């Protein structure tokens, strides 16, 4: 699993087994997480207004087609066990919208509302596998309940370096989960590696220890190691070697 997934408790938070079996404090129960996602969705839609493209726009149609494949993969129970996700009792209302904006970015709210900026679609051009890598990463944040975890850790306090460390851990965790989701959806996990190589060439960020994201070079190293494992897991699933547990 992602590097840095330590077992550190947060007083006053609900402690549960998170991705990879790590101890994960959560501030929200499933019902609260769903409500927060819906509330945040309305706020984002209101903020961007007519910059949210129509459902029948080519950009939205394309993104939703990719999300449809990814969400089917994300619901595969053997995959959830393979990457040790804890989603029982949670509801995900997967829906993607595209915002006309030059930002090279995308995000996913709790419970599955996804927003993609046209800037990142322009950056990725016609590479659906790379778009899938970005979307799967954002969906992974929702499936791993990272917003709820951040709320729990913010309530617990901690210094800036602890907060940066946990933010980087979540990003690496989403990279790991996302590369498996995209592989199980039939996309090429190596395109996630190629995407971050392009990002490395496109910009220079702050040193990793001052950033809340892993360095692009670190991401490339991790994804290069995880991509063949994701591909092998998909092959095992297709061949019936990863099966649902007996009931």
């Amino acid at each position: 699993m992602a590097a840095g997934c330590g077992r550190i408790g947060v007083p006053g938070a609900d402690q549960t087994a998170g991705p990879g079996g790590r101890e994960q404090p959560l501030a929200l129960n499933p019902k609260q997480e769903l409500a927060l996602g819906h509330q945040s969705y309305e706020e984002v839609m209101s903020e961007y207004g007519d910059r949210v493209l129509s459902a029948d726009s080519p950009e939205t149609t394309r993104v939703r087609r990719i999300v449809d494949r990814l969400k089917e993969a994300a619901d595969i129970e053997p995959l959830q066990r393979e990457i040790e996700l804890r989603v029982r009792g949670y509801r995900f209302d997967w829906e993607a919208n595209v915002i006309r904006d030059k930002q090279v970015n995308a995000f996913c709210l709790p419970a599955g509302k996804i927003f993609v900026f046209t800037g990142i679609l322009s950056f990725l051009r016609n590479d659906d596998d790379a778009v899938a890598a970005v979307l799967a990463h954002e969906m992974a944040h929702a499936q791993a309940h990272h917003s709820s975890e951040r709320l729990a850790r913010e309530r617990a306090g901690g210094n800036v370096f602890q907060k940066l460390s946990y933010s980087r851990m979540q990003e690496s965790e989403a990279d790991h989960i996302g590369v498996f989701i995209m592989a199980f959806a039939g996309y090429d996990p190596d395109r996630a590696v190629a995407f971050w190589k392009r990002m490395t060439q496109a910009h220079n960020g702050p040193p990793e220890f001052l950033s809340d994201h892993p360095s692009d070079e670190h991401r490339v190293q991790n994804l290069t190691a995880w991509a063949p494992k994701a591909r092998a897991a998909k092959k095992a699933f297709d061949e019936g070697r990863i099966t649902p547990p007996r009931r």
Side-chain angles (χ1 to χ4, degrees):
M1 288 300 295
C5 298
R7 300 180 62 83
I8 300 176
V10 173
D14 177 29
Q15 303 289 335
T16 187
R22 70 178 177 88
E23 191 172 276
Q24 183 183 41
L26 298 177
L28 307 173
N29 62 37
K31 186 176 180 179
Q32 291 169 329
E33 187 172 289
L34 181 66
L36 176 62
H38 286 179
Q39 176 187 335
S40 300
Y41 170 79
E42 295 299 332
E43 291 172 356
V44 174
M45 293 293 284
S46 176
E47 177 183 353
Y48 287 99
D50 60 6
R51 284 195 285 164
V52 178
L53 302 186
S54 65
D56 60 356
S57 70
E59 296 89 346
T60 304
T61 300
R62 177 192 182 196
V63 168
R64 289 185 174 181
R65 172 174 48 81
I66 296 171
V67 168
D68 282 345
R69 286 176 58 177
L70 293 172
K71 71 182 183 182
E72 287 184 11
D75 285 340
I76 295 174
E77 192 275 341
L79 171 60
Q80 294 171 357
R81 281 190 292 112
E82 183 75 6
I83 54 181
E84 299 184 85
L85 284 176
R86 301 293 183 267
V87 295
R88 181 174 295 179
Y90 286 87
R91 174 177 145 194
F92 297 94
D93 292 338
W94 301 114
E95 178 188 323
N97 285 282
V98 178
I99 298 169
R100 187 183 299 105
D101 192 287
K102 293 182 179 180
Q103 291 185 58
V104 180
N105 202 5
F107 61 91
C108 183
L109 300 172
K113 302 296 187 183
I114 304 163
F115 289 90
V116 181
F117 294 101
T118 52
I120 198 165
L121 296 179
S122 297
F123 180 76
L124 297 174
R125 298 177 184 172
N126 296 321
D127 190 344
D128 280 3
D129 291 271
V131 174
V134 172
L135 293 171
H137 170 93
E138 298 305 330
M139 292 169 68
H141 279 304
Q143 283 204 302
H145 317 297
H146 284 163
S147 293
S148 180
E149 182 178 13
R150 282 196 298 272
L151 284 172
R153 295 195 185 282
E154 286 172 6
R155 292 173 183 175
N159 64 48
V160 65
F161 293 105
Q162 288 174 320
K163 292 177 181 178
L164 289 173
S165 175
Y166 278 113
S167 293
R168 288 195 294 268
M169 176 197 68
Q170 288 187 342
E171 289 299 319
S172 291
E173 200 164 72
D175 283 344
H176 181 267
I177 295 168
V179 79
F180 275 79
I181 291 174
M182 69 178 294
F184 271 65
Y187 292 103
D188 181 1
D190 286 330
R191 298 309 300 161
V193 179
F195 166 70
W196 282 108
K197 284 182 177 178
R198 281 193 65 195
M199 290 293 284
T200 300
Q201 296 167 355
H203 75 283
N204 293 314
E208 183 168 358
F209 73 93
L210 292 178
S211 172
D212 64 353
H213 284 53
S215 68
D216 293 346
E217 292 85 356
H218 191 186
R219 288 186 120 144
V220 168
Q221 291 172 3
N222 284 340
L223 287 165
T224 298
W226 293 331
K229 295 179 181 179
R231 190 179 294 105
K234 175 62 162 60
K235 185 174 186 291
F237 175 72
D238 289 343
E239 295 173 352
R241 291 185 284 117
I242 300 178
T243 57
R246 293 181 179 178
R247 299 188 183 278

